[in-house]
């Protein structure tokens, strides 16, 4: 099968220059034939930057980044790992409940990183590889399908066209809202405080076996873990509590929202002394945001395959499983693989190959979305199996449940799943064209 012939490269527009958008661009550049695509990335801000603190990338995501030559750079910015994913502790006295271990000795391993440093690695790779043209101050207002393309209208009243539009513009995506108007945000019942602490300010000696700690309390949980490396190593601080919506005032779902540290001190004032000490080390103003939830979308692919949702635009999820960024990386990988197949083959339609992306990714992302919701209940002793039980009665259930709950996320063989779905489409097309089955089309 030969490369699809065209006088001009296939034009791809990516709306959103965050982690989802940049990783998708890099995977497209890697998997599509040289010279076959032209990518434009449209970012609404004045510069490419990430708001927020740290994120954790599981091995399901880092192995994909290794695949495109970014693994060593990701490892170089990752916080120190000590073979512990998290040690779970009581909120009131830091007594150990259980410890979840991870294999951090290999080259491909988990990476807890600063969002800003990760974005810089991706941005540098885009520029070095000339993978895309970068635009700023371009906020998408709406998209419309013309006879053979997608027209993008920006809020500054300029327009652009593309053969494929990939919406990577996050939880407030106007493109998601345009195609999924009946999927509104729903308050999850929880809010989160976030902050960063330099390692040089931490108590010494550190009183717990690892810096990857999660304190579990009734209706609240708090976690810390190292991000960045060397002199810039920092402790990421996240505190989550169940709060009735009527007490939130005008609090929004925004990482730029802040509050006085006194509110955090009030909500977590019953925690152990080490937690109180960490809270006092935070700035006078801390990040505070409302965690909204959404029902799973009925689809991510629209306009005969010409509009595709990735990352939080497709499957926004609550953060309690630290899996959202990894799911965005998986999206980019599969979109890249699917587009590479589409462009290399004479048969098959764009809609069919974007359908492969949706069928590979949607069941898994939906499950991650659902289990992330469940993790929030579990870590605050609110799981269905704990109903009517005291905190102490719930501890054994927590201990038995947490050990295995992340393995299915980390150990996914995404390439195998893609190959299976690719094979089904190839056989379907062959049958439709009367060529029968058989043959291997591996890359």
């Amino acid at each position: 099968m030969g490369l699809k012939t065209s006088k001009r490269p296939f034009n791809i527009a990516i709306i959103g220059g965050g982690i989802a958008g940049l990783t998708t661009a890099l995977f497209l550049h890697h998997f599509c034939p040289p010279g076959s695509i032209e990518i434009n990335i449209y970012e609404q801000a004045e510069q490419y930057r990430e708001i927020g603190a740290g994120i954790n990338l599981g091995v399901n995501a880092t192995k994909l980044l290794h695949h495109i030559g970014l693994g060593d750079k990701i490892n170089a910015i990752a916080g120190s790992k000590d073979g512990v994913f998290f040690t779970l502790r009581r909120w009131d006295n830091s007594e150990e409940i259980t410890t979840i271990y991870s294999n951090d000795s290999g080259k491909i391993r988990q990476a807890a990183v600063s969002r800003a440093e990760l974005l810089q690695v991706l941005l540098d790779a885009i520029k070095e590889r000339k993978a895309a043209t970068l635009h700023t101050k371009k906020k998408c207002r709406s998209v419309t399908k013309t006879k053979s393309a997608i027209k993008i209208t920006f809020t500054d009243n300029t327009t652009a066209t593309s053969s494929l539009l990939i919406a990577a513009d996050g939880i407030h995506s106007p493109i998601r809202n345009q195609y999924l108007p009946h999927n509104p945000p729903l308050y999850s019942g929880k809010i989160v405080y976030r902050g960063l602490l330099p390692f040089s300010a931490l108590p010494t000696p550190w009183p717990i076996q690892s810096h990857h700690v999660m304190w579990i309390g009734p209706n609240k949980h708090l976690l810390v873990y190292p991000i960045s490396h060397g002199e810039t190593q920092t402790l990421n601080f996240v505190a989550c509590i169940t709060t009735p919506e009527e007490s939130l005032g005008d609090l929004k779902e925004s990482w730029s929202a802040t509050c006085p540290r006194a509110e955090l001190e009030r909500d977590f004032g019953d925690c152990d002394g080490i937690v109180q000490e960490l809270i006092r080390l935070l700035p006078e103003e801390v990040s505070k945001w409302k965690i909204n939830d959404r029902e799973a979308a009925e689809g991510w692919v629209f306009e005969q395959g010409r509009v595709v949702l990735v990352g939080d635009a497709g499957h926004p999820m609550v953060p309690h499983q630290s899996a959202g960024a990894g799911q965005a990386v998986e999206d980019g990988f599969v979109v890249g693989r699917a587009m590479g197949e589409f462009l290399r083959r004479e048969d098959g339609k764009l809609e069919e190959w974007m359908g492969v992306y949706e069928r590979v990714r949607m069941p898994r992302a939906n499950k991650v979305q659902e289990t992330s919701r469940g993790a929030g209940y579990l870590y605050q002793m609110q799981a269905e199996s704990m109903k009517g039980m005291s905190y102490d009665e719930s501890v054994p259930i927590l201990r038995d449940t947490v050990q295995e709950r992340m393995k299915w996320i980390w150990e996914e063989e995404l390439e195998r799943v893609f190959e299976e779905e690719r094979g089904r489409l190839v056989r379907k097309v062959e049958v439709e064209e009367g060529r029968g089955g058989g043959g291997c089309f591996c890359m």
Side-chain angles (χ1 to χ4, degrees):
M1 296 295 174
L3 179 65
K4 282 184 169 64
T5 56
S6 175
K7 293 181 180 180
R8 291 188 295 180
F10 193 92
N11 186 281
I12 301 173
I14 297 177
I15 306 298
I19 292 168
L22 296 189
T23 52
T24 299
L26 288 166
F27 283 118
L28 285 164
H29 179 262
H30 180 83
F31 287 116
C32 294
S36 64
I37 58 173
E38 178 182 70
I39 304 174
N40 285 278
I41 304 176
Y42 299 96
E43 166 58 34
Q44 66 176 318
E46 293 186 0
Q47 58 183 325
Y48 285 75
R49 65 188 181 94
E50 271 288 350
I51 299 174
I55 55 172
N56 193 69
L57 295 173
V59 291
N60 57 302
T62 58
K63 70 180 177 183
L64 301 180
L65 295 171
H66 275 273
H67 191 88
I68 57 173
L70 295 180
D72 289 342
K73 292 183 178 180
I74 299 300
N75 287 342
I77 63 169
S80 61
K81 301 293 288 184
D82 50 16
V84 172
F85 176 58
F86 274 108
T87 179
L88 275 61
R89 304 285 169 145
R90 287 182 62 106
W91 91 107
D92 53 355
N93 60 15
S94 294
E95 178 182 312
E96 182 179 7
I97 296 173
T98 189
T99 296
I100 307 168
Y101 294 96
S102 60
N103 182 2
D104 300 318
S105 59
K107 188 174 182 180
I108 298 176
R109 56 184 183 268
Q110 292 187 63
V113 298
S114 155
R115 284 180 175 272
E117 290 184 346
L118 173 59
L119 191 81
Q120 193 61 52
V121 167
L122 301 174
L123 197 58
D124 289 346
I126 292 279
K127 294 175 180 178
E128 290 165 5
R129 302 175 188 190
K130 296 180 172 60
T133 301
L134 300 167
H135 306 264
T136 57
K137 296 186 284 188
K138 289 293 180 183
K139 180 176 174 59
C140 176
R141 177 189 295 152
S142 63
V143 300
T144 52
K145 184 178 182 295
T146 65
K147 184 176 180 180
S148 59
I150 295 297
K151 179 182 177 181
I152 310 159
T153 301
F154 299 101
T155 54
D156 62 2
N157 294 320
T158 60
T159 61
T161 59
S162 66
S163 299
L164 170 64
L165 181 143
I166 298 173
D169 48 346
I171 54 177
H172 301 297
S173 168
I175 302 168
R176 174 190 172 90
N177 293 338
Q178 179 176 333
Y179 287 98
L180 298 169
H182 306 298
N183 195 279
L186 304 168
Y187 178 51
S188 70
K190 294 175 170 56
I191 62 169
V192 66
Y193 300 93
R194 302 192 71 141
L196 294 171
L197 294 168
F199 253 64
S200 59
L202 299 183
T204 54
W206 183 252
I208 299 173
Q209 71 183 86
S210 170
H211 284 94
H212 299 79
V213 190
M214 184 185 300
W215 287 271
I216 305 291
N219 302 318
K220 66 182 68 177
H221 71 287
L222 183 149
L223 59 145
V224 296
Y225 57 89
I227 60 172
S228 197
H229 200 70
E231 293 181 0
T232 61
Q233 188 165 30
T234 304
L235 196 70
N236 195 45
F237 177 101
V238 184
C240 180
I241 187 167
T242 296
T243 305
E245 189 167 18
E246 55 269 22
S247 69
L248 300 182
D250 61 353
L251 183 64
K252 295 180 173 58
E253 184 183 34
S254 171
W255 286 358
S256 61
T258 62
C259 73
R261 188 183 66 206
E263 294 185 23
L264 171 61
E265 292 172 337
R266 177 201 64 208
D267 284 345
F268 288 83
D270 59 346
C271 291
D272 191 25
I274 179 62
V275 173
Q276 302 303 320
E277 192 168 353
L278 293 176
I279 291 174
R280 287 192 294 270
L281 290 171
L282 289 167
E284 290 293 331
E285 287 284 318
V286 296
S287 171
K288 177 184 179 181
W289 45 286
K290 178 182 182 181
I291 302 177
N292 280 339
D293 202 352
R294 285 146 175 93
E295 296 297 330
E298 59 264 28
W300 300 345
V301 177
F302 309 94
E303 306 292 11
Q304 292 76 53
R306 293 192 181 274
V307 174
V308 175
L309 309 181
V310 300
D312 283 346
H315 45 78
M317 55 188 67
V318 292
H320 309 305
Q321 220 160 217
S322 300
Q327 291 304 291
V329 173
E330 290 189 17
D331 289 348
F333 176 85
V334 178
V335 167
R337 287 284 280 114
M339 275 302 298
E341 289 288 330
F342 167 69
L343 291 168
R344 282 186 169 87
R345 300 180 60 83
E346 296 290 353
D347 52 11
K349 302 173 183 176
L350 177 63
E351 183 175 16
E352 292 174 318
W353 285 104
M354 290 302 97
V356 168
Y357 156 67
E358 188 177 76
R359 289 191 297 277
V360 170
R361 288 291 301 123
M362 183 173 277
R364 175 168 161 81
N366 285 350
K367 183 178 178 182
V368 175
Q369 186 181 39
E370 178 63 30
T371 56
S372 294
R373 190 177 297 130
Y377 297 135
L378 180 67
Y379 297 147
Q380 297 194 6
M381 299 306 204
Q382 299 166 339
E384 193 65 35
S385 57
M386 299 170 174
K387 290 291 174 66
M389 293 184 176
S390 68
Y391 181 92
D392 289 335
E393 290 171 331
S394 300
V395 165
I397 297 174
L398 173 67
R399 184 184 296 120
D400 293 342
T401 303
V402 297
Q403 282 294 338
E404 302 296 322
R405 69 173 289 116
M406 294 298 293
K407 283 189 175 181
W408 72 272
I409 297 178
W410 296 337
E411 296 175 358
E412 172 76 346
E413 294 295 334
L414 195 60
E415 179 72 20
R416 177 187 57 78
V417 178
F418 175 83
E419 284 296 327
E420 290 174 354
E421 197 59 48
R422 183 194 67 87
R424 291 188 188 99
L425 177 57
V426 168
R427 290 189 293 273
K428 172 180 174 290
V429 171
E430 287 177 342
V431 169
E432 289 174 350
E433 295 185 354
R435 291 189 280 119
C440 176
F441 295 88
C442 299
M443 290 177 66

